[in-house]
Coordinates of all heavy atoms in Angstrom, one line a residue:
A21 N -12.0 15.9 -15.5 CA -11.8 14.5 -15.4 C -11.0 13.9 -16.6 O -10.1 13.1 -16.4 CB -13.2 13.8 -15.3
A22 N -11.4 14.3 -17.8 CA -10.7 13.7 -19.0 C -9.2 14.2 -19.0 O -8.3 13.4 -19.3 CB -11.4 14.2 -20.3
L23 N -9.0 15.5 -18.6 CA -7.6 15.9 -18.6 C -6.8 15.2 -17.5 O -5.6 14.8 -17.7 CB -7.6 17.4 -18.3 CG -6.2 18.1 -18.2 CD1 -5.4 17.9 -19.5 CD2 -6.3 19.6 -17.8
D24 N -7.5 15.0 -16.4 CA -6.8 14.3 -15.3 C -6.4 12.9 -15.7 O -5.4 12.3 -15.3 CB -7.6 14.3 -14.0 CG -7.6 15.7 -13.3 OD1 -6.8 16.5 -13.7 OD2 -8.5 15.9 -12.4
A25 N -7.3 12.2 -16.4 CA -7.1 10.9 -16.9 C -5.8 10.8 -17.7 O -5.0 9.9 -17.6 CB -8.3 10.3 -17.6
R26 N -5.7 11.8 -18.7 CA -4.5 11.8 -19.5 C -3.2 12.1 -18.7 O -2.2 11.4 -18.9 CB -4.7 12.9 -20.6 CG -5.7 12.5 -21.7 CD -5.6 13.4 -22.9 NE -5.9 14.8 -22.6 CZ -7.1 15.3 -22.7 NH1 -8.2 14.5 -23.0 NH2 -7.4 16.5 -22.4
L27 N -3.3 13.0 -17.8 CA -2.2 13.3 -16.9 C -1.8 12.1 -16.1 O -0.6 11.8 -15.8 CB -2.5 14.5 -16.0 CG -2.6 15.9 -16.7 CD1 -3.0 16.9 -15.7 CD2 -1.2 16.2 -17.3
Y28 N -2.8 11.3 -15.7 CA -2.6 10.1 -14.9 C -1.7 9.1 -15.7 O -0.8 8.6 -15.2 CB -3.9 9.5 -14.5 CG -3.8 8.2 -13.8 CD1 -3.4 8.0 -12.5 CD2 -4.1 7.0 -14.6 CE1 -3.3 6.8 -11.9 CE2 -4.0 5.8 -14.0 CZ -3.6 5.6 -12.7 OH -3.5 4.4 -12.1
R29 N -2.1 8.9 -17.0 CA -1.4 8.0 -17.8 C 0.0 8.5 -18.0 O 1.0 7.7 -18.1 CB -2.1 7.8 -19.1 CG -3.4 7.0 -19.0 CD -3.9 6.6 -20.4 NE -4.4 7.7 -21.2 CZ -5.6 8.2 -21.1 NH1 -6.5 7.6 -20.3 NH2 -6.0 9.2 -21.9
V30 N 0.2 9.8 -18.2 CA 1.6 10.3 -18.4 C 2.4 10.1 -17.2 O 3.6 9.7 -17.2 CB 1.5 11.8 -18.7 CG1 2.9 12.5 -18.7 CG2 0.9 12.0 -20.1
R31 N 1.8 10.4 -16.0 CA 2.6 10.2 -14.7 C 3.0 8.7 -14.5 O 4.1 8.4 -14.2 CB 1.7 10.7 -13.5 CG 1.6 12.2 -13.4 CD 1.1 12.6 -12.1 NE -0.2 12.1 -11.8 CZ -1.3 12.8 -12.0 NH1 -1.3 14.0 -12.6 NH2 -2.5 12.2 -11.8
I32 N 2.1 7.8 -14.9 CA 2.4 6.4 -14.7 C 3.5 6.0 -15.7 O 4.4 5.3 -15.4 CB 1.1 5.5 -15.0 CG1 0.1 5.7 -13.9 CG2 1.5 4.0 -15.2 CD1 0.6 5.1 -12.6
G33 N 3.4 6.5 -16.9 CA 4.5 6.3 -17.9 C 5.9 6.7 -17.4 O 6.9 6.1 -17.6
L34 N 5.9 8.0 -16.9 CA 7.1 8.5 -16.4 C 7.7 7.7 -15.2 O 8.9 7.5 -15.1 CB 6.9 10.0 -15.9 CG 6.7 11.0 -17.0 CD1 6.3 12.4 -16.5 CD2 7.9 11.1 -17.9
L35 N 6.7 7.3 -14.3 CA 7.2 6.5 -13.2 C 7.8 5.1 -13.6 O 8.8 4.7 -13.1 CB 6.0 6.2 -12.2 CG 6.3 5.4 -11.0 CD1 7.3 6.1 -10.1 CD2 5.0 5.2 -10.2
V36 N 7.1 4.5 -14.6 CA 7.6 3.2 -15.1 C 9.0 3.4 -15.7 O 9.9 2.6 -15.6 CB 6.6 2.5 -16.0 CG1 7.2 1.3 -16.7 CG2 5.4 2.1 -15.3
G37 N 9.1 4.5 -16.5 CA 10.4 4.8 -17.2 C 11.5 5.0 -16.2 O 12.6 4.5 -16.4
A38 N 11.2 5.7 -15.1 CA 12.2 5.9 -14.1 C 12.7 4.7 -13.5 O 13.9 4.4 -13.2 CB 11.7 6.9 -13.1
I39 N 11.7 3.8 -13.2 CA 12.0 2.5 -12.6 C 12.9 1.7 -13.5 O 13.9 1.1 -13.1 CB 10.8 1.7 -12.2 CG1 10.0 2.4 -11.1 CG2 11.1 0.3 -11.8 CD1 8.7 1.8 -10.8
V40 N 12.6 1.7 -14.8 CA 13.4 0.9 -15.8 C 14.8 1.5 -15.8 O 15.8 0.8 -15.8 CB 12.8 0.9 -17.1 CG1 13.7 0.4 -18.2 CG2 11.5 0.1 -17.1
V41 N 14.9 2.8 -15.9 CA 16.3 3.5 -16.0 C 17.1 3.1 -14.8 O 18.3 2.9 -15.0 CB 16.1 5.0 -16.2 CG1 17.4 5.7 -16.0 CG2 15.5 5.3 -17.5
I42 N 16.5 3.1 -13.6 CA 17.3 2.8 -12.4 C 17.6 1.3 -12.2 O 18.7 0.9 -11.9 CB 16.6 3.4 -11.2 CG1 16.5 4.9 -11.3 CG2 17.3 3.0 -9.9 CD1 15.7 5.6 -10.2
A43 N 16.5 0.5 -12.4 CA 16.6 -0.9 -12.0 C 17.4 -1.7 -13.0 O 18.1 -2.6 -12.6 CB 15.2 -1.5 -11.9
V44 N 17.2 -1.5 -14.3 CA 17.9 -2.4 -15.3 C 19.4 -2.3 -15.2 O 20.0 -3.3 -15.1 CB 17.3 -2.1 -16.7 CG1 18.2 -2.8 -17.8 CG2 15.9 -2.4 -16.9
P45 N 20.0 -1.1 -15.2 CA 21.5 -1.1 -15.1 C 21.9 -1.7 -13.8 O 23.0 -2.4 -13.7 CB 21.8 0.4 -15.2 CG 20.7 1.0 -15.9 CD 19.5 0.3 -15.4
T46 N 21.1 -1.5 -12.7 CA 21.5 -2.1 -11.4 C 21.5 -3.6 -11.5 O 22.4 -4.3 -11.0 CB 20.6 -1.6 -10.3 OG1 20.6 -0.2 -10.3 CG2 20.9 -2.2 -9.0
A47 N 20.5 -4.1 -12.1 CA 20.4 -5.6 -12.3 C 21.5 -6.1 -13.1 O 22.1 -7.2 -12.8 CB 19.0 -6.0 -12.9
I48 N 21.9 -5.4 -14.2 CA 23.0 -5.8 -15.0 C 24.3 -5.8 -14.3 O 25.1 -6.8 -14.3 CB 23.1 -5.0 -16.3 CG1 21.9 -5.2 -17.2 CG2 24.4 -5.2 -17.1 CD1 21.8 -4.2 -18.4
N49 N 24.5 -4.8 -13.5 CA 25.8 -4.7 -12.7 C 25.8 -5.8 -11.7 O 26.9 -6.4 -11.4 CB 25.9 -3.3 -12.0 CG 26.2 -2.2 -13.0 OD1 26.8 -2.5 -14.1 ND2 25.8 -1.0 -12.7
L50 N 24.7 -6.1 -11.0 CA 24.7 -7.2 -10.0 C 24.9 -8.5 -10.7 O 25.6 -9.3 -10.2 CB 23.3 -7.2 -9.3 CG 23.1 -6.1 -8.3 CD1 21.7 -6.1 -7.8 CD2 24.1 -6.1 -7.2
E51 N 24.4 -8.7 -11.9 CA 24.6 -9.9 -12.6 C 26.1 -10.1 -13.0 O 26.7 -11.2 -13.0 CB 23.7 -10.0 -13.9 CG 24.0 -11.1 -14.8 CD 23.8 -12.5 -14.2 OE1 23.1 -12.6 -13.2 OE2 24.4 -13.5 -14.6
R52 N 26.7 -9.0 -13.4 CA 28.1 -9.0 -13.8 C 29.0 -9.1 -12.6 O 30.2 -9.5 -12.7 CB 28.5 -7.8 -14.6 CG 27.9 -7.7 -16.0 CD 28.2 -6.4 -16.7 NE 27.6 -6.4 -18.0 CZ 27.6 -5.3 -18.8 NH1 28.1 -4.2 -18.4 NH2 27.1 -5.4 -20.0
S53 N 28.6 -8.8 -11.4 CA 29.4 -8.8 -10.2 C 29.7 -10.2 -9.8 O 28.8 -11.0 -9.6 CB 28.7 -8.1 -9.1 OG 29.3 -8.4 -7.9
R54 N 31.0 -10.6 -9.7 CA 31.4 -11.9 -9.4 C 31.0 -12.2 -8.0 O 30.7 -13.4 -7.6 CB 32.9 -12.0 -9.5 CG 33.5 -11.9 -10.9 CD 35.0 -12.0 -10.9 NE 35.4 -13.3 -10.5 CZ 35.6 -14.3 -11.4 NH1 35.4 -14.1 -12.7 NH2 36.1 -15.5 -11.0
G55 N 30.9 -11.2 -7.1 CA 30.4 -11.5 -5.7 C 29.0 -11.8 -5.7 O 28.5 -12.5 -4.8
W56 N 28.2 -11.3 -6.6 CA 26.7 -11.5 -6.6 C 26.4 -12.9 -7.1 O 25.5 -13.6 -6.6 CB 26.1 -10.4 -7.4 CG 24.6 -10.6 -7.6 CD1 23.9 -11.2 -8.6 CD2 23.6 -10.3 -6.6 NE1 22.6 -11.2 -8.4 CE2 22.3 -10.6 -7.2 CE3 23.6 -9.7 -5.4 CZ2 21.1 -10.4 -6.6 CZ3 22.4 -9.5 -4.7 CH2 21.1 -9.8 -5.3
R57 N 27.0 -13.3 -8.2 CA 26.7 -14.6 -8.8 C 27.0 -15.7 -7.9 O 28.0 -15.7 -7.2 CB 27.5 -14.7 -10.1 CG 27.0 -13.8 -11.2 CD 27.4 -14.3 -12.6 NE 28.8 -14.7 -12.7 CZ 29.8 -13.9 -13.1 NH1 29.5 -12.7 -13.5 NH2 31.0 -14.3 -13.2
A58 N 26.2 -16.8 -7.9 CA 26.5 -18.0 -7.2 C 27.5 -18.8 -8.0 O 27.2 -19.5 -9.0 CB 25.3 -18.8 -6.9
E59 N 28.8 -18.7 -7.7 CA 29.8 -19.4 -8.5 C 30.0 -20.8 -8.0 O 29.9 -21.1 -6.8 CB 31.2 -18.6 -8.3 CG 31.1 -17.2 -8.9 CD 32.3 -16.4 -8.5 OE1 32.6 -16.2 -7.3 OE2 33.0 -16.0 -9.5
G60 N 30.2 -21.7 -9.0 CA 30.4 -23.1 -8.7 C 31.8 -23.4 -8.1 O 32.6 -22.5 -8.0
K61 N 31.9 -24.6 -7.6 CA 33.2 -25.0 -7.0 C 34.1 -25.5 -8.1 O 33.8 -26.5 -8.8 CB 33.0 -26.0 -5.9 CG 32.1 -25.5 -4.8 CD 32.1 -26.5 -3.6 CE 31.6 -27.9 -3.9 NZ 31.4 -28.7 -2.7
R62 N 35.3 -24.8 -8.2 CA 36.3 -25.2 -9.3 C 37.6 -25.4 -8.6 O 38.0 -24.7 -7.7 CB 36.4 -24.1 -10.3 CG 35.1 -23.9 -11.1 CD 35.1 -22.5 -11.8 NE 35.0 -21.5 -10.8 CZ 35.4 -20.2 -11.0 NH1 35.9 -19.9 -12.1 NH2 35.3 -19.3 -10.0
I63 N 38.3 -26.4 -9.1 CA 39.6 -26.7 -8.4 C 40.6 -27.3 -9.5 O 40.2 -28.0 -10.4 CB 39.4 -27.8 -7.3 CG1 40.6 -27.8 -6.4 CG2 39.0 -29.1 -7.8 CD1 40.3 -28.5 -5.1
A64 N 41.9 -26.8 -9.3 CA 43.0 -27.3 -10.1 C 43.9 -28.2 -9.3 O 44.0 -28.0 -8.1 CB 43.8 -26.2 -10.7
L65 N 44.5 -29.2 -9.9 CA 45.4 -30.1 -9.2 C 46.9 -29.7 -9.4 O 47.3 -29.5 -10.6 CB 45.2 -31.6 -9.6 CG 43.7 -32.1 -9.6 CD1 43.7 -33.6 -9.9 CD2 43.1 -31.9 -8.3
T66 N 47.6 -29.7 -8.4 CA 49.1 -29.4 -8.5 C 49.8 -30.4 -7.6 O 49.4 -30.8 -6.6 CB 49.4 -28.0 -8.1 OG1 49.2 -27.8 -6.7 CG2 48.6 -26.9 -8.8
F67 N 51.1 -30.7 -8.0 CA 51.9 -31.7 -7.4 C 53.3 -31.1 -7.1 O 53.9 -30.6 -8.0 CB 52.1 -32.9 -8.2 CG 50.8 -33.7 -8.5 CD1 50.0 -33.3 -9.5 CD2 50.4 -34.8 -7.7 CE1 48.8 -34.0 -9.8 CE2 49.2 -35.4 -8.0 CZ 48.4 -35.0 -9.0
D68 N 53.7 -31.1 -5.8 CA 55.0 -30.5 -5.4 C 56.0 -31.6 -5.3 O 55.8 -32.8 -5.3 CB 54.8 -29.8 -4.1 CG 54.3 -28.4 -4.3 OD1 53.8 -28.0 -5.4 OD2 54.3 -27.6 -3.3
D69 N 57.3 -31.0 -5.1 CA 58.5 -31.8 -4.7 C 58.8 -32.9 -5.8 O 59.2 -34.0 -5.5 CB 58.3 -32.5 -3.4 CG 58.0 -31.5 -2.3 OD1 58.1 -30.3 -2.5 OD2 57.8 -32.0 -1.1
V70 N 58.8 -32.5 -7.1 CA 59.2 -33.4 -8.1 C 60.7 -33.1 -8.3 O 61.1 -32.0 -8.5 CB 58.5 -33.1 -9.4 CG1 58.9 -34.1 -10.5 CG2 57.0 -33.2 -9.2

Side-chain angles (χ1 to χ4, degrees):
L23 177 61
D24 284 348
R26 288 194 296 271
L27 290 175
Y28 172 79
R29 289 193 292 270
V30 170
R31 288 196 295 267
I32 290 295
L34 291 173
L35 181 61
V36 171
I39 292 173
V40 170
V41 168
I42 295 171
V44 171
T46 302
I48 293 174
N49 287 336
L50 287 173
E51 172 61 23
R52 289 176 178 173
S53 168
R54 295 179 67 91
W56 173 262
R57 292 202 308 266
E59 295 171 300
K61 299 192 297 187
R62 297 160 293 158
I63 195 166
L65 308 186
T66 66
F67 297 84
D68 276 13
D69 299 358
V70 183

